[in-house]
Every structure is written in C-alpha cells, then in structure tokens.
C-alpha cells in the first residue's frame, strides 16, 4: 500500500496522488508511464545496499532507514540526479508521522488531528519564518512479511509513477526517513509488517 503527496510553494498547489490496490492513481503528464516505472523497479540492485532485504524490527530501525536511503539514492544516481542528504529535521518529521500512523491506526498523509505535511515539516523547524520558496514532498508505504523490507517498499515506490516523481525530482536536496516495525491496522488488517515515510525538501536561498 502506497501514497504520495507533493506541495509546491512556488505555485501554491497541493497535489495528492494515490497508488493503492483497487484504486485509481492520479498521474500528471510529466510523470513517467507505468510501464517505464515498472521497468525501473526491476533494475534496482539490493546487493549494493546493506540489509536492504531484512525485515524491520525494533532493534534494526536505524539500519532500515539507512538501507532505504541507499536504495533511493541508487535510483537517483542511476538517472543522473544527485543523492539526497539526510536532514535531521525532516528525519524527525518522517519518523513522527510513521509512528503516528501505527499508533492511531491510519494510513494517510493527513493525520487525525489535521496535521498536514506542511504543518509537520514546519513544526520540525525545517521551514522557518516567512520562507516562501521551497518544495516539499512525501511518500508513505507499508507492507507485511517479506513485502515490508526496504527493498520491497522502495521497489514498489519506483514502480509507481507518483512516488517515482518524488524520488527523481531534481529540485529536492534533503530527505528524512521514518520506519516502524508495525503496520497500521487499517492498512494491513493487523498483520505483522512495517510502515515507512520519506519526506523530501528543498529551501531556496533567499526564500526567507
């Protein structure tokens, strides 16, 4: 189960794209065709990222976040984009949202207390004052058993045009990744699994 969100402050347009089983995704003309995205996913090499095929548990979440970033950056570099760098504020935002989805049993970008992506990233301190020129985005995903590994989640993101659009967006520079060794009850029916959030961002110089 996947979901992608994008907020472009320069145009003040919120774009939400869903890629869920039995649901239609919302694609923009600039996003790659589904067939191309699926082909990209098959090229992902988990052997280049340590622990990419391990199932998350409470003891290895740091390694799972590192493996997820490694796979994401592998895809970016393969397509001529610079690697993303971890930003501790986006990391807090992503981990907090992941834990919230698990604790409160939902799977969405909007939390039950109206905590939007923009509000969460502002609260993290990543955006300050009157910064008007920035881009932020978010991918979320969850899976059970062997579909809960970093490789399985990133491969699913890459095979989904809305999620791939976030991953390959040349404007993004910073990222934060949250992982929880449990899946939201509403998304996976209480089965053993894991939940992932990746937040993306870039603040333009002179944007304050």
């Amino acid at each position: 189960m996947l979901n992608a969100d994008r907020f472009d402050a320069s145009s003040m347009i919120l774009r939400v794209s869903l890629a869920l089983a039995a649901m239609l995704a919302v694609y923009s003309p600039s996003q790659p065709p589904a067939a191309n995205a699926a082909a990209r996913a098959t090229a992902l090499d988990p052997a280049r990222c340590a622990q990419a095929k391990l199932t998350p548990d409470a003891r290895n979440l740091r390694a799972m976040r590192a493996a997820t970033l490694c796979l994401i950056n592998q895809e970016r570099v393969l397509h001529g984009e610079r690697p993303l760098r971890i930003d501790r504020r986006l990391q807090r935002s992503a981990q907090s949202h992941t834990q919230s989805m698990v604790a409160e049993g939902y799977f969405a970008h909007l939390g039950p207390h109206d905590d939007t992506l923009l509000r969460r990233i502002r609260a993290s301190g990543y955006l300050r004052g009157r910064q008007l020129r920035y881009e932020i985005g978010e991918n979320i995903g969850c899976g059970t058993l062997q579909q809960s590994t970093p490789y399985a989640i990133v491969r699913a993101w890459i095979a989904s045009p809305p999620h791939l659009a976030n991953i390959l967006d040349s404007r993004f520079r910073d990222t934060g990744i949250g992982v929880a060794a449990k899946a939201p009850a509403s998304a996976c029916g209480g089965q053993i699994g894991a939940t992932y959030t990746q937040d993306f961002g870039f603040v333009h110089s002179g944007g304050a």
Side-chain angles (χ1 to χ4, degrees), residues 122-169:
R122 281 199 180 280
S124 76
Y126 183 73
L127 301 176
R128 297 180 179 180
R130 294 178 56 82
Q131 286 170 324
L132 298 178
R133 295 192 63 222
Y134 57 86
E135 285 90 27
I136 57 175
E138 182 172 83
N139 286 344
I140 60 176
C142 70
T144 59
L145 303 174
Q146 291 305 308
Q147 297 306 310
S148 67
T149 67
Y151 174 63
I153 293 293
V154 174
R155 190 172 185 271
W157 280 341
I158 290 172
S160 164
H163 301 83
L164 183 62
N166 275 346
I167 290 170
L168 295 184
D169 194 315

Side-chain angles (χ1 to χ4, degrees), residues 114-127:
D114 200 31
D115 49 334
T116 64
L117 171 61
L118 180 57
R119 285 186 178 181
R120 286 186 273 111
I121 289 185
R122 281 199 180 280
S124 76
Y126 183 73
L127 301 176

Side-chain angles (χ1 to χ4, degrees), residues 39-204:
R40 291 171 189 259
T42 63
L44 195 66
D45 183 6
R48 294 171 55 190
C49 298
Q51 301 182 319
K53 286 194 171 183
L54 288 186
T55 301
D57 63 43
R59 299 163 296 178
N60 68 7
L61 296 184
R62 179 178 295 182
M64 296 300 94
R65 288 191 290 267
T68 303
L69 178 63
C70 176
L71 291 164
I72 293 291
N73 279 339
Q74 180 188 141
E75 182 69 9
R76 284 180 64 90
V77 170
L78 183 64
H79 294 92
E81 302 297 342
R82 70 178 70 185
L84 296 171
R85 62 198 177 204
I86 286 290
D87 182 277
R88 57 183 176 79
R89 298 159 297 184
L90 293 181
Q91 190 91 325
R92 285 198 303 269
S93 174
Q95 188 64 38
S96 175
H97 188 57
T98 302
Q99 293 171 185
S100 173
M101 286 191 287
V102 168
E104 304 206 41
Y106 69 96
F107 184 76
H109 298 286
L110 178 65
H113 308 293
D114 200 31
D115 49 334
T116 64
L117 171 61
L118 180 57
R119 285 186 178 181
R120 286 186 273 111
I121 289 185
R122 281 199 180 280
S124 76
Y126 183 73
L127 301 176
R128 297 180 179 180
R130 294 178 56 82
Q131 286 170 324
L132 298 178
R133 295 192 63 222
Y134 57 86
E135 285 90 27
I136 57 175
E138 182 172 83
N139 286 344
I140 60 176
C142 70
T144 59
L145 303 174
Q146 291 305 308
Q147 297 306 310
S148 67
T149 67
Y151 174 63
I153 293 293
V154 174
R155 190 172 185 271
W157 280 341
I158 290 172
S160 164
H163 301 83
L164 183 62
N166 275 346
I167 290 170
L168 295 184
D169 194 315
S170 61
R171 295 171 297 179
F172 291 139
R173 298 288 187 272
D174 308 316
T175 193
I177 297 168
V179 183
K182 189 175 180 181
S186 64
C188 295
Q191 298 182 66
I192 296 172
T195 305
Y196 291 71
T197 301
Q198 181 170 18
D199 286 346
F200 304 84
F202 177 62
V203 177
H204 296 263

